[in-house]
Amino acid sequence: MKKLAGLFGLDKNPGRERRARLKIETAGAAVYVIGDVHGCLDLLLALEHLIVADARELPGRKTIVMLGDYVDRGPASSQVIDHLMAPPPVGFERICLAGNHEVAMLDYIDKRLTLGDWMHMGAGPTLLSYGVDPERLGSIYQSRQVDDMIRHAIPAGHVEFLRSLPILIEAKRYIFVHAGIRPELDLDRQSDDDLVFIRTAFYEKAHLLKKYVVHGHTPVTEAKLEGTRINVDTGAFFSGRLTALRIWQNKGRYLTT
């Protein structure tokens, strides 16, 4: 995937600010970690309903962690961002992390990525969710005008949301991140690009992990524990199944739409 990141110019942009890395306390809390949404608002709302019902009898703090990739492919990317910018379900806090698709969207907005490259990542439905038809615009206007119109159509609040997303959460026994980490490196030496793009280098050395890593990025048929690695991306857009992992008293349970 690093090669693909390079192809799209996503690992050669010194103009990007390093994203925040957070630390949280999970002791005594119920943590629900949700995989890649990809514009599927209906599935996110359905999963939140399951989470609220599941958490009703649990004491203590309740936190929803979103693992990124809210946009592209599915039909309601703009609406998913609106939802995530709004308050979480009553009694919950919510932390949204950046995925590679949010990084790409912001790179396009900031003129570090071409529209064609973003379109290859599934941006067409995202633009339609903002009321923009890039093919129709392209048949009428010059490419520079099309870019200006698209960037103008994305609300400033959505752009600020994209900029504000942290990229990793560390807890005593867990790491929450979009794609994975390099197990041989300390967390403070991990690059933002690896945290949202890595695959092979993470999987091949997962036996070196010192904490459980809960991630998405690579669709799987079923979420499950693989050593100390848990992938909760069940390919919502392709499969119609969005999954959350509940961590409660260091035990896991999966909730799936």
Side-chain angles (χ1 to χ4, degrees):
M1 195 62 186
K2 190 68 172 178
K3 183 177 180 181
L4 183 58
L7 175 64
F8 288 150
L10 295 174
D11 61 346
K12 300 176 181 178
N13 289 296
R16 284 204 232 111
E17 292 187 8
R18 182 177 167 91
R19 291 184 178 268
R21 293 109 191 277
L22 308 180
K23 291 188 177 183
I24 65 171
E25 177 58 63
T26 58
V31 180
Y32 294 84
V33 191
I34 298 179
D36 305 33
V37 176
H38 278 303
C40 297
L41 179 62
D42 56 342
L43 297 182
L44 177 57
L45 295 177
L47 184 57
E48 284 187 354
H49 181 77
L50 294 177
I51 288 170
V52 169
D54 180 80
R56 194 166 288 133
E57 303 302 323
L58 300 180
R61 293 181 296 109
K62 300 173 180 67
T63 301
I64 295 173
V65 174
M66 306 292 303
L67 290 180
D69 279 8
Y70 316 119
V71 302
D72 296 341
R73 298 178 181 157
S77 292
S78 174
Q79 294 80 8
V80 167
I81 292 180
D82 280 335
H83 179 73
L84 294 177
M85 291 174 62
V90 175
F92 287 78
E93 62 178 341
R94 179 166 57 209
I95 305 172
C96 298
L97 296 180
N100 61 298
H101 284 259
E102 286 74 53
V103 171
M105 182 173 175
L106 192 56
D107 275 351
Y108 171 73
I109 292 168
D110 289 341
K111 304 180 181 180
R112 291 189 293 263
L113 190 69
T114 69
L115 178 58
D117 283 342
W118 187 27
M119 291 290 285
H120 276 107
M121 298 179 71
T126 299
L127 296 176
L128 290 173
S129 77
Y130 284 102
V132 176
D133 184 341
E135 290 188 8
R136 177 170 173 77
L137 290 179
S139 70
I140 301 172
Y141 301 101
Q142 299 291 327
S143 60
R144 183 176 298 179
Q145 292 174 295
V146 173
D147 286 333
D148 289 343
M149 291 177 180
I150 291 172
R151 290 171 179 133
H152 182 74
I154 300 172
H158 285 205
V159 177
E160 182 56 36
F161 173 79
L162 296 174
R163 295 195 195 285
S164 70
L165 298 174
I167 205 164
L168 178 144
I169 301 171
E170 181 183 9
K172 184 176 181 180
R173 298 186 64 184
Y174 306 95
I175 294 169
F176 308 113
V177 64
H178 176 65
I181 66 173
R182 290 189 179 273
E184 73 275 17
L185 295 180
D186 293 337
L187 286 183
D188 60 2
R189 296 179 60 198
Q190 306 280 335
S191 74
D192 282 9
D193 285 318
D194 277 341
L195 297 176
V196 297
F197 274 109
I198 198 169
R199 280 196 174 104
T200 303
F202 171 45
Y203 300 153
E204 289 182 346
K205 295 186 178 181
H207 60 284
L208 299 176
L209 291 170
K210 299 179 177 63
K211 297 185 178 186
Y212 291 98
V213 175
V214 186
H215 67 96
H217 186 54
T218 303
V220 291
T221 302
E222 180 182 3
K224 60 182 178 179
L225 178 65
E226 301 268 2
T228 50
R229 181 179 66 78
I230 309 168
N231 184 351
V232 294
D233 176 9
T234 47
F237 171 65
F238 304 105
S239 68
R241 299 171 64 247
L242 182 64
T243 296
L245 167 67
R246 184 194 76 186
I247 300 173
W248 164 248
Q249 296 183 339
N250 292 316
K251 295 181 181 178
R253 178 188 178 191
Y254 301 109
L255 290 82
T256 302
T257 57

